[in-house]
Amino acid sequence: MPVTIKDVARAAGVSPATVSRTLATPELVHADTRRRVQQAVDALGYKPNRAARGLITGRTGNLGLIVPDLTNPFFPGVVKGVQTRARESDYAVFLADTDEDPSAEADVVRNLSKQVDGIILCSPRMSEEELRSLTGETPIVMLNRRVGRMPSVTVNSADGIRQAVAHLTALGHRRIAYVPGPKLSWSNRERVRALRQHTAAAGVELVEVGNVAPQFAGGVAAADQVLATGVTAVLGYNDLVALGMLSRFAARGVAVPERISVMGFDDIVLSEMVNPSLTTLAQPKEQTGRAGVDLLLQLLADPERAFSRRELESHLMVRNSTGPAPTP
Amino acid sequence: MPVTIKDVARAAGVSPATVSRTLATPELVHADTRRRVQQAVDALGYKPNRAARGLITGRTGNLGLIVPDLTNPFFPGVVKGVQTRARESDYAVFLADTDEDPSAEADVVRNLSKQVDGIILCSPRMSEEELRSLTGETPIVMLNRRVGRMPSVTVNSADGIRQAVAHLTALGHRRIAYVPGPKLSWSNRERVRALRQHTAAAGVELVEVGNVAPQFAGGVAAADQVLATGVTAVLGYNDLVALGMLSRFAARGVAVPERISVMGFDDIVLSEMVNPSLTTLAQPKEQTGRAGVDLLLQLLADPERAFSRRELESHLMVRNSTGPAPTP
DNA sequence: TTGAAAGCGGTACCAT
DNA sequence: ATGGTACCGCTTTCAA
């Protein structure tokens, strides 16, 4: 028996309409009435039922967030950013973790679409057509991926990679390896593209080893291959992969960074907790989440501007897995 | 212009009521009609609006999950467990991260209460009275905390700690330190209690150092104090604290585990990625989340059973930050 | 077996 | 400035 608008109306001796106005457009109601209503609201602890409101206004005050795998340390930061920003604008957040299953993602979008004003979707692998078909269901903002004219938040990996390549060449490296993540991942493709471009420009040789799972185990598996190529520096698709290599190198007694320099992407918290700590390209995770919400709210306020993008910058976090170990 | 029940009704040449029945209680509608309706549903891609349904049934099909800090690596696992289990029962999940702010937690509960059938609350520090006052708003299941007769999912830390103490004493340790987390945290209090009991029983001296933040930095800060006590083994409140100590020990050239053994709680992914890898008491994170949903659904199905608990087991993950280093 | 109609908790339009 | 009323999308009596 939660308290409804009628209860408040009765308590304040006004009509439900007046209560509604007091809450939505206080300036349209007489100060005295407003006060009485407000008192009743407080006394009864009335909170409007958002679902009921949404039914008529078409606005739910909710938004959806879909991520492929929350246990990948990259995502909690993004989720947190979304969450925080959403709460600032009084939005609640539906979260779905799809276990890296692109088909689940589409389902989730469809299931959620009626209950949210829009969805923030982090789906690096779903096919473009499917993605586009979802756009009809509800407004969608893509995270870390650009497809067609869909609104998106991405990071400028080209510039980050320029920084990384510059860093490594400055240290004297002339042959560097890249351990790619999932073939279909948009981020991975971007990174490969940028790496080819910037290594070529710098006159440095790029050795691409085989794709691995974007996880610690993937890095462990790739480490020996990397060593066999004889490079003096290696970039992993993400920090987990890089940490896996670090671990395997340690097990084999390969000195980092003396024998080989190691870099990752993301700057997940772990990267500074290991020893040697991992040099990495920091992605603005919470900011990405916040920007996603910003974009979505913008879109809702002004649906004309259906096409709008936000590109964030990443920056190099130099730690001691590259170059000479710092003297303490 | 999403497709509504009326659209389907029109397309199938029946009344909205019949469409509703076809979906909810198919056995009450003639096979032929049922087929026609089903075709229309499929053709139009109709999905009932859950909010509208909830308005009348009183069931939203949503549940809320509140965690203090998603960037603490303990929680993503829990969230994932909740998420997965919820989806199996066709529930959607509202997630709120309260940034370790107990007052925000109460707000969130109140805001969400109308939109969910129940809430899974992970709030180690909120006061008991406040907690109890929230119970009136919506069904609540507590995670990792027991308060009064509220339904809860906890892990049996006493038994885990028994395992840990047995392990350390078996290795010959006679004085061990504990670095506690937040004073008010339920888990921390439980751990202290169990530690006192089991060390006493084993005739081992327990040295309790000052409370620290449940984070990497907290461990770094505590490490020197720990060393000063002259113990040969130390348990951190959680893995982050333990990792912080590991890091500081490495910096000071203190050999782990030769000079001092280190243990943590939680078994977050990092704990096996560092070197030496961290011995830890594994908490069943996803299982905790799943059990939370189970409990909540049980409660909803049978509100009489308002008091019901689930206690999970933790188990020791022995890795090489305790005892003699394994020979490779 | 099916349909008409009422109503869930709100909002918004139209009167007054 | 306020109230009456229709309606949002759906479910659920109640009759037919």
Side-chain angles (χ1 to χ4, degrees):
Chain A
M1 59 185 75
V3 25
T4 78
I5 200 171
K6 287 183 191 169
D7 301 325
V8 178
R10 201 173 313 123
V14 298
S15 78
T18 301
V19 177
S20 179
R21 276 189 214 102
T22 311
L23 268 34
T25 49
E27 64 278 13
L28 294 187
V29 35
H30 192 89
D32 292 347
T33 322
R34 201 191 308 158
R35 204 168 311 112
R36 286 215 320 284
V37 171
Q38 196 55 56
Q39 278 174 353
V41 166
D42 295 342
L44 301 180
Y46 170 68
K47 294 253 181 196
N49 181 326
R50 280 167 167 244
R53 170 189 295 170
L55 214 46
I56 183 156
T57 60
R59 289 295 187 105
T60 62
N62 300 146
L63 52 83
L65 171 60
I66 302 178
V67 298
D69 178 17
L70 208 49
T71 56
N72 175 335
F74 176 78
F75 292 107
V78 175
V79 175
K80 186 150 189 160
V82 168
Q83 239 291 142
T84 312
R85 178 67 188 79
R87 196 132 46 90
E88 287 171 11
S89 293
D90 207 29
Y91 270 76
V93 178
F94 275 108
L95 175 74
D97 175 312
T98 55
D99 271 317
E100 303 270 7
D101 175 359
S103 72
E105 288 164 4
D107 279 354
V108 171
V109 170
R110 278 186 249 274
N111 281 326
L112 243 39
S113 61
K114 293 282 208 335
Q115 293 197 86
V116 299
D117 296 337
I119 285 182
I120 298 178
L121 179 58
C122 199
S123 178
R125 303 209 260 298
M126 195 191 297
S127 80
E128 300 207 0
E129 332 156 46
E130 188 144 32
L131 235 29
R132 251 184 278 270
S133 91
L134 291 178
T135 310
E137 307 273 334
T138 188
I140 293 184
V141 168
M142 296 290 309
L143 250 38
N144 287 336
R145 173 168 179 180
R146 232 150 38 201
V147 19
R149 297 180 61 80
M150 292 179 64
S152 65
V153 178
T154 52
V155 301
N156 182 342
S157 41
D159 187 68
I161 284 183
R162 184 193 53 69
Q163 296 173 48
V165 171
H167 173 66
L168 292 175
T169 54
L171 292 175
H173 297 284
R174 289 298 170 258
R175 292 187 71 221
I176 71 185
Y178 176 63
V179 179
K183 253 200 202 69
L184 295 178
S185 150
W186 190 84
S187 301
N188 184 60
R189 285 174 352 231
E190 282 293 293
R191 284 167 198 182
V192 171
R193 207 175 48 69
L195 267 171
R196 286 181 186 157
Q197 176 192 328
H198 285 113
T199 48
V204 167
E205 182 183 352
L206 175 68
V207 180
E208 300 177 32
V209 307
N211 299 75
V212 301
Q215 284 143 19
F216 186 77
V220 173
D224 296 319
Q225 281 182 63
V226 169
L227 236 34
T229 65
V231 298
T232 60
V234 58
L235 283 87
Y237 166 68
N238 66 10
D239 284 349
L240 292 176
V241 169
L243 288 170
M245 290 194 281
L246 235 37
S247 165
R248 178 67 184 153
F249 290 156
R252 287 190 55 182
V254 175
V256 174
E258 292 77 7
R259 160 78 177 74
I260 189 169
S261 286
V262 178
M263 285 197 50
F265 283 83
D266 292 352
D267 191 31
I268 58 182
V269 284
L270 297 71
S271 64
E272 54 184 333
M273 298 187 184
V274 296
N275 200 311
S277 57
L278 184 65
T279 296
T280 183
L281 229 21
Q283 310 292 308
K285 293 174 280 296
E286 300 208 10
Q287 213 188 118
T288 297
R290 297 185 68 90
V293 177
D294 282 337
L295 218 56
L296 191 51
L297 295 184
Q298 232 175 68
L299 225 66
L300 295 175
D302 172 12
E304 303 312 307
R305 179 165 34 176
F307 176 59
S308 99
R309 277 180 184 165
R310 183 81 183 282
E311 185 166 68
L312 306 174
E313 297 300 321
S314 61
H315 62 279
L316 196 58
M317 300 287 297
V318 179
R319 293 201 270 250
N320 52 20
S321 65
T322 55
T327 41
Chain B
M1 57 188 79
V3 23
T4 77
I5 201 171
K6 285 184 190 167
D7 300 323
V8 178
R10 203 174 310 123
V14 298
S15 78
T18 301
V19 176
S20 179
R21 280 188 211 103
T22 309
L23 267 35
T25 49
E27 65 278 11
L28 293 186
V29 33
H30 191 88
D32 291 348
T33 322
R34 199 192 307 158
R35 204 169 311 114
R36 286 214 320 281
V37 172
Q38 195 55 58
Q39 278 175 355
V41 166
D42 295 343
L44 301 181
Y46 169 68
K47 294 255 181 195
N49 180 325
R50 280 167 167 244
R53 171 187 295 170
L55 212 48
I56 181 158
T57 61
R59 288 293 186 107
T60 62
N62 299 146
L63 51 82
L65 171 60
I66 302 179
V67 298
D69 178 16
L70 209 50
T71 56
N72 174 336
F74 177 78
F75 292 108
V78 175
V79 175
K80 186 150 188 159
V82 167
Q83 240 290 143
T84 312
R85 179 65 188 80
R87 195 131 47 91
E88 287 171 10
S89 292
D90 208 28
Y91 271 76
V93 177
F94 276 107
L95 176 75
D97 175 312
T98 55
D99 269 318
E100 304 270 6
D101 176 359
S103 71
E105 289 164 4
D107 279 354
V108 172
V109 170
R110 280 186 245 275
N111 280 327
L112 243 38
S113 61
K114 291 284 209 331
Q115 292 197 86
V116 299
D117 296 336
I119 285 182
I120 297 177
L121 178 58
C122 200
S123 178
R125 303 209 260 296
M126 194 192 297
S127 80
E128 300 207 1
E129 333 157 45
E130 188 144 33
L131 234 29
R132 253 184 277 271
S133 91
L134 292 178
T135 309
E137 306 273 334
T138 189
I140 293 185
V141 168
M142 296 288 309
L143 250 39
N144 286 338
R145 174 169 180 179
R146 232 149 39 200
V147 19
R149 298 181 61 79
M150 292 179 65
S152 65
V153 177
T154 52
V155 300
N156 182 340
S157 42
D159 186 69
I161 283 183
R162 183 193 53 69
Q163 298 172 48
V165 171
H167 173 66
L168 292 175
T169 53
L171 292 174
H173 297 284
R174 292 295 170 258
R175 292 186 71 220
I176 71 186
Y178 176 62
V179 180
K183 252 199 203 67
L184 295 178
S185 152
W186 189 85
S187 300
N188 184 60
R189 283 172 355 227
E190 282 293 293
R191 283 167 199 182
V192 169
R193 207 174 48 68
L195 267 172
R196 286 180 187 158
Q197 176 192 331
H198 284 113
T199 48
V204 167
E205 182 184 351
L206 176 68
V207 180
E208 299 178 32
V209 308
N211 298 75
V212 301
Q215 282 145 19
F216 186 77
V220 172
D224 295 320
Q225 280 183 64
V226 169
L227 236 35
T229 66
V231 298
T232 60
V234 58
L235 283 86
Y237 165 68
N238 66 11
D239 284 349
L240 291 176
V241 169
L243 288 170
M245 291 194 280
L246 237 34
S247 165
R248 177 68 184 152
F249 291 155
R252 286 191 53 183
V254 174
V256 174
E258 293 77 7
R259 162 77 177 75
I260 187 168
S261 285
V262 179
M263 284 196 52
F265 283 84
D266 291 354
D267 190 32
I268 59 181
V269 283
L270 296 72
S271 64
E272 54 183 333
M273 298 186 184
V274 296
N275 202 310
S277 56
L278 183 64
T279 297
T280 183
L281 231 19
Q283 311 291 311
K285 293 173 280 296
E286 300 208 11
Q287 213 189 119
T288 297
R290 298 185 67 91
V293 178
D294 281 337
L295 219 55
L296 190 50
L297 296 185
Q298 234 174 65
L299 226 67
L300 296 176
D302 173 12
E304 302 313 306
R305 177 166 36 177
F307 176 58
S308 102
R309 277 180 184 165
R310 183 82 183 280
E311 185 166 68
L312 307 174
E313 297 301 320
S314 62
H315 61 280
L316 196 58
M317 299 289 297
V318 179
R319 291 200 272 251
N320 51 21
S321 64
T322 54
T327 42

